[in-house]
Amino acid sequence: MEITAQQLAIVVHGTVDGDGSTVISNYAKIEEAEPGCITFLANPKYTHYIYTTKASAVLVRKDFKPEHPIKATLIRVEDPYETIADLLNFVNSQRPQKKGIEQPCYISEGVAVPDDAYVGAFAYIGKDVKLGKNVKIYPNVYVGDDVVLGDDVILYPGVKIYHGCKIGNRCIVQGGATIGGDGFGFAPRPDGTYEKISQIGIVILEDDVEIGANTTIDRATMGATVVHRGVKLDNLIQVAHNVEIGENTVMAAQVGIAGSTKIGKNNMIGGQVGFAGHITVGDQNGIGAQSGVPNNVGSKQKLLGAPAINAREFARQQFYFKYLPEMFNDIKALKKQIEELKK
Amino acid sequence: MEITAQQLAIVVHGTVDGDGSTVISNYAKIEEAEPGCITFLANPKYTHYIYTTKASAVLVRKDFKPEHPIKATLIRVEDPYETIADLLNFVNSQRPQKKGIEQPCYISEGVAVPDDAYVGAFAYIGKDVKLGKNVKIYPNVYVGDDVVLGDDVILYPGVKIYHGCKIGNRCIVQGGATIGGDGFGFAPRPDGTYEKISQIGIVILEDDVEIGANTTIDRATMGATVVHRGVKLDNLIQVAHNVEIGENTVMAAQVGIAGSTKIGKNNMIGGQVGFAGHITVGDQNGIGAQSGVPNNVGSKQKLLGAPAINAREFARQQFYFKYLPEMFNDIKALKKQIEELKK
Amino acid sequence: MEITAQQLAIVVHGTVDGDGSTVISNYAKIEEAEPGCITFLANPKYTHYIYTTKASAVLVRKDFKPEHPIKATLIRVEDPYETIADLLNFVNSQRPQKKGIEQPCYISEGVAVPDDAYVGAFAYIGKDVKLGKNVKIYPNVYVGDDVVLGDDVILYPGVKIYHGCKIGNRCIVQGGATIGGDGFGFAPRPDGTYEKISQIGIVILEDDVEIGANTTIDRATMGATVVHRGVKLDNLIQVAHNVEIGENTVMAAQVGIAGSTKIGKNNMIGGQVGFAGHITVGDQNGIGAQSGVPNNVGSKQKLLGAPAINAREFARQQFYFKYLPEMFNDIKALKKQIEELKK
């Protein structure tokens, strides 16, 4: 992509302040931008960066008033963050959309493929599968028997959806994700071996869910593992059987959730966090990366650490951790002094 | 599934105590069950839940004597836990079993496919592969040259078994698992670059092993990475080259085991645990989630933390952690007081 | 493989010291070797093992002088470590090399397949893909539109390369890895839902990079996620959008790197380490397993812990951790004693 600031301003219904002929070929955060980049200023907290950024152009609010000279060309718009998102979506929409059925693929008899669908080569569609309008099933995808895919679902290459699972409208599943594998359920026998417990439930992804690459979501023992509307899961996340994740909760990569745990709405979970099984987590919590959550959590909390506690309290305890050796020696010295005082 | 308590009692050779016409359509743990669910009471520790459970029916031991009134219908059986497992297995067995060869698939010349096998579309079977009776190879599975699959092996969609690996009888590999990828072996050169060391060993899964979705088990540098009989590995686990995992050891999701480590029998390992390379872990240990195991471990231990120590000792240290800031201030105050006392 | 020490010595241009007829059938580290194994001694630190090793043969430096009797046959060479690597490479090279195009596969019109390439069955090659000399594309691999594969690239079964990504010469990608999936970018809407931000960038793997099984590398929002020359990533690693990893950096399994973080050259990163987003890590650091890196890191440091600090300092603090309960009680006692002294 190469475009001038002036051309871009026309696309985004903005006005140019500065050199309209500057050429933009890339995007970056304001503090990291290099020449040739466009960036944006939405959060007032970052305002100071605009005076030092190396970006060639910056999207700013219509009413932004600089307090110092700025090198970059400004493009004034209603909402800079939304504009950047729109811009990327616009560029993306220019790519040719996949359509039609590539051969060879395997579509079970009787499955209706909507006219506007894409079924890539080596995609497998099992018996009694229902396909929504405009689904895109990339090559090497497996869709098991009785699966339901809503409208506008995208399954990227190598996705596996086991039998019976339900995928809501506009869900996106990135490559290699495995949805509906058997839950990890085994009954110990007296001789130390284990008997597999059949996992006869399913996985339900409600509408507008996105699942990251190589993430795994296990089917329920009975009933359903449920990922509610609007949830976004990053790559390599483990969601065990009978887990439930509430609306609009967002999780960074490599999080693990053990069996039957219920997580509420609008939580933000950092990378590599682990949740114990059979616990309940409320709504609107922020849980920092690598935390371990062993017990129930309320709502609107900021947690950190393993075991996870109030983030501020964690920071406080952590702060004193480095004084441990010194404290140890101080206590030793104090003991000695007191012994002497006693004499 | 919809069935009355009375009908169910007949199937499981039990007797009904209460309303036999109550309809059951789901399964849940006793403390989480909703109306319409069946649950079970096996562990006496959970007995108190039976008086408050919302389950419609509870499987209990033949000789169970309630001490308070119970709302749920009781179904009395010899062994409630086994009955639940049997029940799920029964329901599961009602699903039609996959059989036959779907086209197109790729079966190398000379490979004998047993009559009762399933080979899904887009499955790849390399040269000189040996297939046991009743193997089920789902679509998009890769079975490399010289691989041996025992009887009743199930390879779910997207499983990849590299050349030469041996999979024992009744092994189940969930979707997307990669078995036999190159071990992570590189020799540093003086200029800071690395030379790849060929990995000419294999992976052996003995009988009755289950491997979770998207788990990775690397082939040995030479010799074999061995997963012994009855081991159950959850999803997204990393097993490095030349690792050995003893019989009936069970590991939760996202565990990582570095190269050449030997883990004994009947261990229970929590999620996200990490094992250093070249260490030896004994038998029957319980290692808590997110622990880090840097050194050899004996047997029959309960460990927790990173570095992992005795779980009780870990809890004790952790308990005092929160007093650190207070202790720091106490020491400061004590110093002052002693200075004053000295005067 | 079965070979005598004498035969081996000829292959590796070495000389035999001891029983040349001893048969070698396996390889192991010197401290773990069993009879029948060959091993090597390169690091003087391990010299004491040579007197007790059960290995049948040991590769040693030409000028090695034993101080005690040694049971094993010695094979004297210039550089024992290099020789072992060469040996494994030699054995590996004896395996028949994959060549030619297996059917059915999907190769888009106009894509030129070099004569010496391997394209396995069910491999998918999109539009305008460029294939270097001697590429090996295993079965069930997906290569999206406009992808460029350099010379001698190996893509193992089930690898997925999304459109537009660039894979350098001699890169090896192990089975199931997903390269170029959408970065995890979402804009929060006022109602708590999220809008997907299109990810229009790519992934670049420079020359001589190896990517482990089921690892995920996300495409950039704009621009490129870049893995520089000679980097080796183990299995199940997460590399987020716009990350950059410097030359010859090596990472063990299950590491996670959040968005836009820049990691320098020749670092060695242990398993399960997590890096926060938008940070910068210098060169030649060693970061221990399970560490959490929340902030910028300089160069040539040894770090450990979460948050990661100087490894020696971490060990020191950790050492005193176990005295916490004792320290707590000491302080209590000291307080009491001072109160008494005051009276």
Side-chain angles (χ1 to χ4, degrees):
Chain A
M1 182 184 107
E2 287 224 347
I3 191 171
T4 66
Q6 185 59 58
Q7 288 169 327
L8 193 67
I10 293 166
V11 173
V12 302
H13 305 290
T15 56
V16 169
D17 211 349
D19 177 10
S21 69
T22 189
V23 174
I24 297 154
S25 58
N26 208 340
Y27 156 82
K29 301 252 161 180
I30 192 163
E31 67 272 32
E32 301 175 332
E34 300 290 331
C37 286
I38 185 162
T39 188
F40 67 100
L41 176 63
N43 188 333
K45 192 170 86 173
Y46 289 94
T47 304
H48 64 281
Y49 283 119
I50 203 169
Y51 306 110
T52 55
T53 185
K54 295 180 197 154
S56 295
V58 186
L59 290 159
V60 296
R61 263 179 218 292
K62 244 170 148 178
D63 56 359
F64 172 70
K65 286 185 192 154
E67 295 177 350
H68 307 284
I70 295 174
K71 268 198 194 165
T73 302
L74 302 185
I75 302 176
R76 295 174 177 280
V77 293
E78 285 288 344
D79 182 337
Y81 191 67
E82 206 171 89
T83 300
I84 270 286
D86 288 351
L87 208 61
L88 294 172
N89 289 341
F90 169 79
V91 175
N92 196 44
S93 70
Q94 301 305 299
R95 289 188 50 235
Q97 292 301 295
K98 295 284 178 189
K99 282 254 149 92
I101 301 180
E102 292 172 353
Q103 292 299 345
C105 64
Y106 184 101
I107 301 176
S108 294
E109 227 186 290
V111 172
V113 181
D115 283 353
D116 47 5
Y118 169 56
V119 180
F122 319 125
Y124 181 99
I125 300 181
K127 288 177 193 155
D128 300 315
V129 167
K130 289 200 176 58
L131 300 179
K133 280 184 287 182
N134 195 31
V135 293
K136 295 196 195 314
I137 300 174
Y138 275 75
N140 304 102
V141 165
Y142 171 83
V143 180
D145 299 346
D146 302 305
V147 165
V148 178
L149 301 183
D151 296 344
D152 305 303
V153 164
I154 304 176
L155 304 182
Y156 280 106
V159 165
K160 296 145 293 266
I161 317 267
Y162 280 45
H163 64 92
C165 295
K166 295 178 196 313
I167 311 297
N169 299 313
R170 296 172 301 282
C171 283
I172 299 173
V173 186
Q174 298 289 336
T178 300
I179 296 186
D182 282 348
F184 196 63
F186 299 92
R189 297 194 194 96
D191 65 353
T193 65
Y194 290 88
E195 185 181 342
K196 182 174 176 68
I197 297 177
S198 292
Q199 306 288 310
I200 67 171
I202 60 169
V203 173
I204 297 173
L205 305 187
E206 292 187 352
D207 295 347
D208 300 302
V209 167
E210 180 155 345
I211 303 297
N214 291 6
T215 279
T216 60
I217 305 181
D218 280 353
R219 65 197 311 110
T221 306
M222 269 178 85
T225 305
V226 185
V227 181
H228 285 285
R229 177 191 289 265
V231 166
K232 313 293 182 190
L233 301 186
D234 201 350
N235 301 346
L236 293 169
I237 286 174
Q238 152 70 354
V239 181
H241 54 146
N242 294 84
V243 162
E244 202 176 325
I245 305 178
E247 287 180 24
N248 304 321
T249 281
V250 172
M251 298 192 185
Q254 297 176 317
V255 167
I257 312 169
S260 299
T261 281
K262 312 287 177 221
I263 295 179
K265 301 176 193 177
N266 296 94
N267 292 287
M268 300 190 69
I269 314 296
Q272 300 183 330
V273 169
F275 292 91
H278 301 282
I279 64 171
T280 300
V281 174
D283 303 334
Q284 299 182 56
N285 296 293
I287 304 184
Q290 295 189 321
S291 294
V293 184
N295 299 310
N296 291 347
V297 169
S299 289
K300 299 192 181 179
Q301 300 189 25
K302 303 264 170 247
L303 301 181
L304 193 56
I309 59 173
N310 176 282
R312 199 181 292 251
E313 179 59 23
F314 179 82
R316 208 169 75 99
Q317 293 177 9
Q318 206 63 43
F319 173 82
Y320 287 101
F321 194 62
K322 62 173 168 290
Y323 295 111
L324 253 186
E326 189 182 309
M327 286 165 68
F328 182 88
N329 290 326
D330 279 354
I331 290 172
K332 229 161 114 181
L334 284 169
K335 278 183 184 173
K336 217 171 165 183
Q337 288 170 35
I338 286 185
E339 283 314 308
E340 275 165 23
L341 279 173
K342 277 186 185 168
K343 287 174 210 163
Chain B
M1 182 183 107
E2 286 222 349
I3 191 171
T4 67
Q6 185 59 58
Q7 289 169 327
L8 193 67
I10 292 165
V11 172
V12 301
H13 305 292
T15 57
V16 169
D17 211 348
D19 178 10
S21 68
T22 189
V23 173
I24 297 154
S25 58
N26 208 340
Y27 157 82
K29 301 253 160 180
I30 193 163
E31 67 273 29
E32 301 175 331
E34 299 290 332
C37 286
I38 186 162
T39 188
F40 69 99
L41 177 63
N43 188 333
K45 191 170 89 174
Y46 290 94
T47 305
H48 64 280
Y49 283 119
I50 203 169
Y51 307 110
T52 55
T53 185
K54 294 180 197 151
S56 295
V58 187
L59 290 159
V60 295
R61 263 178 218 290
K62 244 171 150 179
D63 56 0
F64 173 69
K65 286 185 192 153
E67 295 177 350
H68 307 284
I70 295 172
K71 268 198 193 162
T73 301
L74 302 186
I75 301 176
R76 296 175 178 280
V77 294
E78 285 288 344
D79 181 338
Y81 191 67
E82 206 171 89
T83 301
I84 270 287
D86 288 351
L87 208 61
L88 294 172
N89 288 342
F90 170 79
V91 174
N92 196 44
S93 70
Q94 300 303 300
R95 289 186 52 235
Q97 294 301 296
K98 295 284 179 189
K99 283 255 148 91
I101 301 180
E102 293 172 354
Q103 292 298 346
C105 66
Y106 185 100
I107 301 176
S108 294
E109 226 186 291
V111 172
V113 181
D115 284 351
D116 47 4
Y118 169 56
V119 181
F122 318 126
Y124 182 98
I125 300 180
K127 287 176 195 156
D128 300 314
V129 167
K130 289 202 175 58
L131 301 178
K133 280 184 286 181
N134 195 33
V135 293
K136 294 193 194 319
I137 299 174
Y138 275 74
N140 304 102
V141 165
Y142 171 82
V143 180
D145 298 345
D146 301 305
V147 165
V148 178
L149 302 183
D151 296 343
D152 305 303
V153 164
I154 304 176
L155 305 181
Y156 279 107
V159 164
K160 297 145 290 270
I161 317 267
Y162 280 46
H163 64 91
C165 295
K166 295 179 196 313
I167 313 295
N169 298 313
R170 296 173 300 283
C171 284
I172 298 173
V173 185
Q174 299 290 335
T178 300
I179 296 185
D182 282 348
F184 195 63
F186 299 92
R189 297 195 193 93
D191 64 353
T193 66
Y194 289 89
E195 185 181 342
K196 183 176 177 66
I197 297 177
S198 291
Q199 306 288 309
I200 66 170
I202 60 169
V203 173
I204 297 173
L205 305 186
E206 291 187 352
D207 295 346
D208 300 302
V209 167
E210 181 156 344
I211 303 297
N214 290 6
T215 279
T216 59
I217 306 182
D218 280 354
R219 67 194 312 108
T221 307
M222 269 177 84
T225 303
V226 185
V227 181
H228 286 283
R229 177 190 289 264
V231 167
K232 313 294 180 188
L233 301 185
D234 201 352
N235 301 346
L236 293 169
I237 287 174
Q238 152 71 355
V239 180
H241 54 146
N242 294 83
V243 163
E244 201 175 328
I245 305 178
E247 288 182 23
N248 304 320
T249 281
V250 172
M251 298 192 183
Q254 296 175 319
V255 167
I257 312 169
S260 299
T261 281
K262 312 287 177 220
I263 295 179
K265 301 177 192 178
N266 297 92
N267 292 287
M268 300 191 68
I269 314 296
Q272 300 182 332
V273 169
F275 291 91
H278 299 282
I279 64 171
T280 300
V281 174
D283 304 333
Q284 300 183 55
N285 296 292
I287 304 183
Q290 294 189 322
S291 294
V293 183
N295 299 311
N296 291 348
V297 170
S299 289
K300 299 192 181 180
Q301 301 190 25
K302 302 267 168 244
L303 301 180
L304 194 57
I309 58 172
N310 176 282
R312 199 181 291 253
E313 179 58 24
F314 180 82
R316 208 168 77 99
Q317 292 177 9
Q318 205 64 42
F319 173 83
Y320 286 101
F321 194 62
K322 62 174 168 292
Y323 295 111
L324 252 186
E326 190 183 307
M327 286 165 68
F328 182 86
N329 290 326
D330 280 354
I331 290 172
K332 228 161 115 182
L334 284 170
K335 279 184 182 170
K336 218 170 163 185
Q337 287 170 33
I338 285 185
E339 284 315 307
E340 275 164 23
L341 279 174
K342 279 187 184 166
K343 287 174 207 161
Chain C
M1 182 184 107
E2 287 223 348
I3 191 170
T4 65
Q6 185 59 58
Q7 288 168 328
L8 193 67
I10 292 165
V11 173
V12 301
H13 305 291
T15 57
V16 170
D17 210 347
D19 178 10
S21 69
T22 189
V23 173
I24 297 155
S25 59
N26 208 341
Y27 157 82
K29 301 253 160 178
I30 193 164
E31 67 273 30
E32 301 175 331
E34 300 290 331
C37 287
I38 186 161
T39 189
F40 68 99
L41 176 62
N43 188 333
K45 190 170 88 173
Y46 290 96
T47 304
H48 64 282
Y49 283 119
I50 203 168
Y51 306 110
T52 56
T53 185
K54 294 182 198 150
S56 295
V58 186
L59 291 159
V60 295
R61 261 178 220 291
K62 246 172 149 175
D63 55 359
F64 172 70
K65 286 185 193 151
E67 295 178 350
H68 307 284
I70 296 173
K71 268 198 195 164
T73 301
L74 302 185
I75 302 176
R76 296 175 177 279
V77 294
E78 286 289 342
D79 181 337
Y81 191 66
E82 207 173 87
T83 300
I84 271 287
D86 288 352
L87 207 60
L88 294 172
N89 288 343
F90 170 77
V91 175
N92 196 44
S93 70
Q94 301 305 300
R95 290 188 51 237
Q97 294 300 295
K98 295 284 179 188
K99 283 254 149 93
I101 301 180
E102 293 172 353
Q103 292 300 345
C105 66
Y106 185 101
I107 301 177
S108 294
E109 226 184 290
V111 172
V113 181
D115 283 351
D116 46 5
Y118 168 57
V119 181
F122 318 126
Y124 182 98
I125 299 180
K127 287 177 195 155
D128 299 315
V129 167
K130 289 203 176 56
L131 301 179
K133 279 184 286 181
N134 195 31
V135 294
K136 295 196 193 316
I137 299 174
Y138 275 75
N140 305 101
V141 164
Y142 171 83
V143 180
D145 298 346
D146 301 305
V147 166
V148 178
L149 302 184
D151 296 343
D152 305 302
V153 164
I154 304 177
L155 305 180
Y156 279 107
V159 164
K160 296 146 291 269
I161 316 268
Y162 280 47
H163 64 91
C165 295
K166 295 180 197 310
I167 312 296
N169 298 314
R170 295 173 301 282
C171 284
I172 298 174
V173 186
Q174 298 290 335
T178 300
I179 296 185
D182 282 349
F184 196 64
F186 300 92
R189 297 195 193 94
D191 64 354
T193 65
Y194 290 88
E195 185 181 344
K196 183 174 176 69
I197 298 178
S198 291
Q199 305 289 309
I200 67 170
I202 60 168
V203 173
I204 297 173
L205 305 188
E206 292 187 352
D207 295 346
D208 299 302
V209 167
E210 179 155 347
I211 303 297
N214 291 5
T215 279
T216 59
I217 306 181
D218 280 355
R219 67 196 308 109
T221 307
M222 270 178 85
T225 304
V226 185
V227 181
H228 286 283
R229 176 189 290 263
V231 167
K232 313 294 180 188
L233 301 185
D234 201 350
N235 300 346
L236 294 168
I237 287 174
Q238 153 70 353
V239 180
H241 54 147
N242 294 84
V243 163
E244 203 175 326
I245 304 178
E247 286 180 25
N248 304 321
T249 281
V250 172
M251 299 193 183
Q254 298 176 318
V255 167
I257 312 169
S260 299
T261 281
K262 313 282 177 225
I263 295 179
K265 300 176 192 176
N266 296 92
N267 291 286
M268 300 191 68
I269 314 295
Q272 301 183 330
V273 169
F275 291 90
H278 299 283
I279 64 171
T280 301
V281 174
D283 303 334
Q284 300 183 54
N285 296 291
I287 303 183
Q290 296 189 320
S291 294
V293 183
N295 299 312
N296 292 346
V297 169
S299 289
K300 299 192 182 180
Q301 300 189 25
K302 302 267 169 244
L303 301 179
L304 193 57
I309 58 173
N310 176 281
R312 200 180 291 252
E313 180 59 23
F314 180 82
R316 208 168 77 99
Q317 293 177 10
Q318 206 62 43
F319 174 82
Y320 287 101
F321 194 63
K322 61 172 168 292
Y323 294 112
L324 252 186
E326 189 183 307
M327 286 164 68
F328 183 87
N329 291 325
D330 280 354
I331 290 173
K332 228 162 113 183
L334 285 169
K335 279 182 182 173
K336 218 172 163 184
Q337 288 170 32
I338 286 185
E339 282 316 307
E340 275 165 23
L341 279 173
K342 279 186 184 168
K343 286 175 208 162

